[in-house]
């Protein structure tokens, strides 16, 4: 008797003015990923289930489509597509905002494409965090949401539980990032090759960008994870994490590892290196400055940890995947 495959459900939001090409494109992308995973006979990988959630007025989003109808479960991710006609905060009803916040509280990763990031901004979840959006709305975005660290020149900001992208067609990279997380880099690369779309080489060559497990169901540990993501884990201690979780330290250690698969120190290292990878790819800051920014007082310790996780030194990583290297290849 075969083992029943796990299911990972990804919800795609359909709001008034949403780009339907992105809605259906994401659905097809995940379908291709499922087929490639099946061809690899990777029964241990989850089946990607895609559902569409329609927004009508000030009502809670309603499921209107499901690629694999079955019992309702928690969403692994919620994807907010772009809008060709533009989008403003006036189109963000409170019931929708509450629903988005609830999905995040339940452990879903949230992804906003282009101006779809406005909905994430309206939810308040991006406050104190880094994000990007389409260049045409960058000025208004920065003025309305001063608590968000806007990186308008960065095409994608992958902050673990919150992902934002800047381009109208960036839904494909967002989808591939999630395939990478859920099915692995080889399936993501195969999906990109089949669809003939670009995909970041850094994820496949140096291990996936840090993708924390969020849908484990332990609310106390999830609370700490969200806190670590928001602070960058730059100055934290075991005692502070245990206090945030409301648990005794030994209990916290046991539950944290059971939920995330990592010790708290390892988790923080992966989170910091993930942020450093982004800075090495998209900024020209010195490596010592990047080390300090992500929480390392000792640059040599940062270099050692970075190489242990990615297999490359920070300078080699920048030379291979930095924007200047990419531009040189393009020329």
């Amino acid at each position: 008797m075969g083992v029943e495959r796990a299911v990972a459900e990804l919800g795609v939001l359909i709001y008034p003015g949403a780009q339907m090409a992105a809605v259906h494109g994401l659905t097809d992308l995940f379908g291709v990923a499922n087929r490639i995973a099946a061809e690899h006979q990777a029964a241990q990988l989850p089946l990607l289930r895609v559902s569409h959630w329609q927004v009508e007025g000030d009502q809670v989003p309603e499921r209107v489509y499901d690629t694999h109808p079955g019992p309702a479960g928690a969403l692994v991710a919620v994807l907010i597509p772009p809008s060709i006609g533009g989008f403003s905060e006036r189109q963000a009803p409170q019931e929708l905002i509450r629903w988005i916040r609830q999905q995040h509280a339940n452990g879903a990763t949230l992804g906003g494409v282009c101006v779809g990031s406005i909905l994430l901004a309206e939810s308040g979840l991006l406050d104190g965090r880094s994000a990007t959006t389409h260049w045409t709305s960058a000025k208004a975005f920065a003025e309305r949401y001063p608590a968000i660290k806007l990186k308008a020149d960065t095409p994608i900001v992958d902050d673990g539980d919150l992902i934002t992208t800047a381009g109208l067609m960036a839904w494909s990279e967002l989808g591939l990032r999630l395939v990478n997380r859920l099915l692995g880099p080889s399936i993501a690369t195969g999906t990109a090759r089949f669809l003939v779309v670009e995909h970041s080489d850094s994820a496949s060559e140096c291990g996936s960008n840090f993708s924390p497990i969020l849908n484990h169901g332990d609310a106390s540990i999830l609370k700490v994870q969200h806190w670590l993501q928001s602070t960058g884990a730059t100055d934290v201690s075991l005692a502070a994490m245990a206090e945030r979780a409301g648990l005794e330290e030994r209990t916290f250690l046991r539950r944290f590892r059971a939920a995330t698969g990592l010790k708290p120190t390892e988790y923080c290292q992966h989170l910091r290196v993930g942020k450093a990878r982004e800075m090495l790819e998209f900024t020209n800051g010195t490596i010592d400055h990047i080390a300090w920014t992500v929480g390392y007082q000792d640059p040599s310790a940062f270099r050692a940890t970075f190489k242990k996780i990615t297999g490359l030194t920070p300078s080699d990583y920048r030379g291979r995947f930095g924007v200047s290297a990419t531009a040189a290849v393009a020329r």
Side-chain angles (χ1 to χ4, degrees), residues 271-281 290 294 302 306:
L271 195 155
R272 291 172 183 172
V273 167
K275 290 182 180 294
R277 286 173 66 161
E278 179 185 302
M279 295 180 72
L280 288 165
E281 288 183 34
I290 290 173
V294 300
F302 164 71
F306 190 94

Side-chain angles (χ1 to χ4, degrees), residues 53 60 204 275 299:
W53 296 77
V60 174
S204 58
K275 290 182 180 294

Side-chain angles (χ1 to χ4, degrees), residues 35-53:
R35 182 175 62 75
I36 292 175
E39 289 173 353
H40 282 67
Q41 297 184 331
Q44 75 280 10
L45 296 176
L47 175 71
L48 303 185
R49 173 183 179 184
V50 185
S51 52
H52 296 174
W53 296 77

